[in-house]
Amino acid sequence: MQHNIKQRGFAYSIRPITLDDAQFIVDVRLEDEERNKYVHKISPDVNLQINWLNKYFQTPDDYYFVIENNLTGEREGLISIYNIENNVAEWGRWVVKKGSMAALESVDLVYKVAFEKLNLGELYTKTIEDNISVVNFHKSINAKLREIIPNAVELGNNNYNVVNQYVDKEYYYSDVKNLLEEKALKVFQRNLKVALGGFEFHHIGVATKDIEKEFKSYAMLGYSKEDKFDGDLNQGVRGLFITSKNQPRLELLENLENSTTLDYWLNQGVKMYHFGYLVKDIEKAFDVFTTKLRAKVVSPMKESQYFGKRICFLMLNNMFMIELIEE
């Protein structure tokens, strides 16, 4: 059916399928013959897929989605909710591109749509028993086994048993949601490094009124001085980097005379106010964070007198500030 439901996750989002996706459907369904041998065959003729989609748009209670990478905008898979009856629905038509990391989070997004937007009470899947990797995938995310249905599907000249696995709404929130979100966050971290060509933690920025007085407290915790810069006029601060074994590098900062750069954080009683990260391509990283991750620019790109390269400060949606440092 035609619908406007979207769901955004950490690394991936799902959005309604359109006619413009017809060629992608054909390509991803036919991409890997071995992996797709347990799904119904489709024709490489895109016009037949367009005809199927037009019929789908007229089918009630059938929700077909494209899985997209939040960082690249690329389409990486397909997933659906259908056969809705008595507040219970099946999900399937699930396929992801070879090499994609979208599997885990796409399933979580479908659960969220089902339980939070469609107000369903249960989602189930029917998987051919011989498709061991997919059956085991559902086990790995704590899906419950309802039954094994003998000779339920005919593909080619063979009949196959089908494994019915399910997750109800209450069970999703108690035993599935946190597991999927934790794994999705790890996938996002991996995708971010790939998209940026590297994303390496460098330091935590600490706002102080007096660097030397502040350092004494950290020295008691095992920190020693690493390097300092007496004044960065572009930022209005002076700083001292300090390090300690098995502890993060810190950048102690204080305002230059007549500068108010750190006043907001000092007045709020916030000391550790930003995390700094090294990036190989700062312009690409800036674009990814501002356009794809919707970060706000706190301080635009400028040259750092200490690093001798460009830096910028961005505020993420959770009010967490990061510094991008050009390698």
Side-chain angles (χ1 to χ4, degrees), residues 143-183:
K144 295 186 281 189
L145 173 65
R146 174 171 283 121
E147 61 181 337
I148 297 177
I149 309 169
N151 299 320
V153 171
E154 181 180 351
L155 283 178
N157 298 320
N158 299 312
N159 290 322
Y160 294 94
N161 298 341
V162 165
V163 181
N164 184 328
Q165 294 161 291
Y166 72 100
V167 170
D168 58 61
K169 186 173 184 177
E170 181 179 354
Y171 184 68
Y172 167 73
Y173 288 106
S174 66
D175 290 80
V176 178
K177 178 176 179 289
N178 288 341
L179 171 67
L180 288 177
E181 288 184 349
E182 287 173 5
K183 292 185 177 182

Side-chain angles (χ1 to χ4, degrees), residues 34-39 91-96 103 107 111 125-143 163-165:
E34 175 64 23
R35 187 180 54 164
N36 293 330
K37 68 181 180 180
Y38 295 116
V39 297
W91 72 267
R93 300 189 194 122
W94 183 44
V95 59
V96 296
V107 174
Y111 283 139
T125 56
K126 290 183 176 180
T127 309
I128 290 176
E129 189 176 27
D130 290 20
N131 195 353
I132 296 172
S133 63
V134 176
V135 173
N136 286 339
F137 171 86
H138 294 303
K139 289 180 182 178
S140 74
I141 64 170
N142 293 335
V163 181
N164 184 328
Q165 294 161 291

Side-chain angles (χ1 to χ4, degrees), residues 48-63:
L48 293 179
Q49 188 61 50
I50 290 173
N51 292 339
W52 187 94
L53 285 172
N54 280 321
K55 293 178 181 178
Y56 151 77
F57 292 138
Q58 305 303 315
T59 304
D61 293 331
D62 192 329
Y63 300 86

Side-chain angles (χ1 to χ4, degrees), residues 64-291:
Y64 202 0
F65 300 93
V66 172
I67 306 163
E68 290 185 335
N69 187 311
N70 288 342
L71 296 178
T72 66
E74 294 295 318
R75 296 172 292 192
E76 294 194 16
L78 306 164
I79 198 164
S80 296
I81 298 173
Y82 47 92
N83 289 341
I84 298 176
E85 186 176 356
N86 298 324
N87 209 35
V88 172
E90 182 174 359
W91 72 267
R93 300 189 194 122
W94 183 44
V95 59
V96 296
K97 288 177 66 175
K98 203 171 183 178
S100 170
M101 302 288 287
L104 279 162
E105 191 163 30
S106 64
V107 174
D108 189 46
L109 295 174
V110 156
Y111 283 139
K112 284 181 167 64
V113 167
F115 300 138
E116 297 173 6
K117 296 187 175 179
L118 300 181
N119 296 314
L120 296 174
E122 180 190 302
L123 275 188
Y124 67 88
T125 56
K126 290 183 176 180
T127 309
I128 290 176
E129 189 176 27
D130 290 20
N131 195 353
I132 296 172
S133 63
V134 176
V135 173
N136 286 339
F137 171 86
H138 294 303
K139 289 180 182 178
S140 74
I141 64 170
N142 293 335
K144 295 186 281 189
L145 173 65
R146 174 171 283 121
E147 61 181 337
I148 297 177
I149 309 169
N151 299 320
V153 171
E154 181 180 351
L155 283 178
N157 298 320
N158 299 312
N159 290 322
Y160 294 94
N161 298 341
V162 165
V163 181
N164 184 328
Q165 294 161 291
Y166 72 100
V167 170
D168 58 61
K169 186 173 184 177
E170 181 179 354
Y171 184 68
Y172 167 73
Y173 288 106
S174 66
D175 290 80
V176 178
K177 178 176 179 289
N178 288 341
L179 171 67
L180 288 177
E181 288 184 349
E182 287 173 5
K183 292 185 177 182
L185 186 55
K186 291 180 180 178
V187 170
F188 168 76
Q189 293 165 351
R190 176 262 186 195
N191 282 359
L192 183 63
K193 288 183 178 181
V194 170
L196 301 183
F199 187 65
E200 181 182 348
F201 172 79
H202 185 266
H203 69 266
I204 300 174
V206 182
T208 76
K209 292 182 179 180
D210 186 310
I211 286 175
E212 290 301 327
K213 287 183 179 179
E214 193 80 19
F215 171 70
K216 292 177 182 178
S217 297
Y218 287 105
M220 294 168 56
L221 301 175
Y223 275 91
S224 58
K225 295 180 180 180
E226 180 187 49
D227 202 3
K228 68 177 181 178
F229 54 97
D230 290 329
D232 188 326
L233 297 178
N234 286 335
Q235 298 184 74
V237 296
R238 64 172 54 89
L240 171 68
F241 285 99
I242 63 176
T243 59
S244 177
K245 186 177 180 179
N246 298 324
Q247 298 188 71
R249 177 190 285 112
L250 303 179
E251 181 188 26
L252 306 184
L253 298 161
E254 69 178 37
N255 285 327
L256 293 177
E257 188 175 355
N258 299 320
S259 170
T260 60
T261 299
L262 301 173
D263 283 2
Y264 173 81
W265 308 104
L266 293 171
N267 292 336
Q268 297 294 319
V270 176
K271 288 187 175 291
M272 297 186 178
Y273 74 102
H274 79 265
F275 279 35
Y277 295 90
L278 295 171
V279 293
K280 292 183 178 179
D281 187 337
I282 195 169
E283 292 183 358
K284 183 176 183 180
F286 181 87
D287 179 66
V288 166
F289 274 100
T290 56
T291 63

